[in-house]
Amino acid sequence: MKPVASNKPFKRILLTGAAGGLGRVLRERIKPWADIVRLSDIVDMGEAQEGEEIMPCDLSDKAAVHTLMQEVDVVLHFGGISTENNFEAIMQANILGTYHIYEAVHQAQVKRVIFASSNHTVGYYKTTDYIDAHMPMRADGMYGVSKCFGETLSRYYFDRFGIETVCVRIGSSFPEPVNPRMMVTYFSYDDLLELLRCALFTPRVGHTISFGVSNNPASWWDNRYASHLGYQAKDSSAAFAHKFPNSGAYPVADDITTLYQGGAFLLTGPQYK
Ligand code: NAI
Ligand code: 15L
């Protein structure tokens, strides 16, 4: 039988980190954008459903990442270690892994990457600061440093080879805020999907850094340098305000987790005495 012509925008999207919290949310929801969603992770992803391909891969394995990239149109790079950890582990998954992704993207002539960066690239700014994406990065730990590496690496691949990337400095993308900090950093799943849609379908993005955050009552982040994406958040943490009646008292003096934007990440890793 003759194959039915598809009118989906992409033939194949690669999603790394497909077994993770966000990967499992995106798995189903990005299907309208591609004939095939290629799912990859280092852990079990279950059975392939219609319109899916499952390709397990350790991001630190260069040859495997190159195989993963064959016939891919665009990449949503969400795989890697997602919280503070020892440097060796972070180096393998996030630093070497992201380097492998970009080398493979270059070799396979993939045109665009969406990189799941993090608010922890700027976690050492104060919670009284209002920052934009042109201000210097101030990572709050080795995890944040690895995301700074990914942002810098993607800038290099754009400047040298013209490979476009949207780095999304994701705030806190979970079903709902679970502490007062997340009243500021909350990024609903619907808004995440909308920002990804903007990042994929805006004709020219060059190298863009966007804060991934909903339209929350308070904000630390000015998204002016990503305005060309046209992202408009529809959700707000205000819907959960009843859970944190005292969040107006934030920050709390002498509580480091409320003084810096990185929150509890300030208490991970080596501490100054
Ligand atoms: P997650 O930890 O649930 O998912 C990450 C996935 O990457 C896991 O399934 C893990 O198995 C996989 N992975 C780890 N090392 C790997 C390796 N060496 N090779 C291949 N796969 C590997 O994290 P989550 O919440 O889904 O986040 C997804 C991405 O978004 C991560 O890159 C994270 O840093 C970033 N992010 C997420 C935020 C959030 O609020 N959920 C906030 C800021 C950034
Ligand atoms: C992140 O970068 C982490 O991946 C996620 O698990 C949360 O800790 C998030 O930041 C946050 O700051 O809430």
Side-chain angles (χ1 to χ4, degrees), residues 76-88:
L76 303 182
H77 181 38
F78 279 64
I81 289 176
S82 64
T83 51
E84 193 60 17
N85 206 310
N86 67 73
F87 180 72
E88 283 295 322

Side-chain angles (χ1 to χ4, degrees), residues 127-128 180-181 244-255 258-259:
T127 54
T128 47
R181 173 178 176 270
F244 305 103
N246 296 324
S247 62
Y250 195 94
V252 179
D254 299 333
D255 178 354
T258 71
L259 294 180

Side-chain angles (χ1 to χ4, degrees), residues 17-23 41-43 57-60 77-82 93 116-119 143 147 170-174:
L22 296 184
D41 204 294
I42 199 172
V43 300
C57 171
D58 183 341
L59 291 163
S60 67
H77 181 38
F78 279 64
I81 289 176
S82 64
S117 186
S118 171
N119 70 86
Y143 164 69
K147 294 294 186 181
I170 301 172
S172 304
S173 197
F174 296 97

Side-chain angles (χ1 to χ4, degrees), residues 45-141:
M45 291 164 278
E47 295 294 312
Q49 306 299 311
E50 195 179 341
E52 294 178 348
E53 284 174 350
I54 304 270
M55 286 183 69
C57 171
D58 183 341
L59 291 163
S60 67
D61 179 340
K62 182 177 181 179
V65 175
H66 278 252
T67 303
L68 190 62
M69 207 58 72
Q70 299 313 304
E71 297 181 71
V72 165
D73 298 318
V74 288
V75 180
L76 303 182
H77 181 38
F78 279 64
I81 289 176
S82 64
T83 51
E84 193 60 17
N85 206 310
N86 67 73
F87 180 72
E88 283 295 322
I90 287 173
M91 183 183 69
Q92 291 295 326
N94 293 13
I95 295 182
L96 196 57
T98 303
Y99 168 69
H100 289 159
I101 287 284
Y102 275 90
E103 276 295 285
V105 155
H106 181 218
Q107 185 250 338
Q109 299 185 311
V110 175
K111 295 284 181 291
R112 191 174 294 185
V113 179
I114 315 302
F115 172 55
S117 186
S118 171
N119 70 86
H120 295 286
T121 52
V122 288
Y124 255 117
Y125 281 96
K126 297 254 174 67
T127 54
T128 47
D129 291 334
Y130 187 60
I131 62 169
D132 64 49
H134 285 186
M135 292 169 74
M137 294 184 268
R138 294 180 71 175
D140 56 29

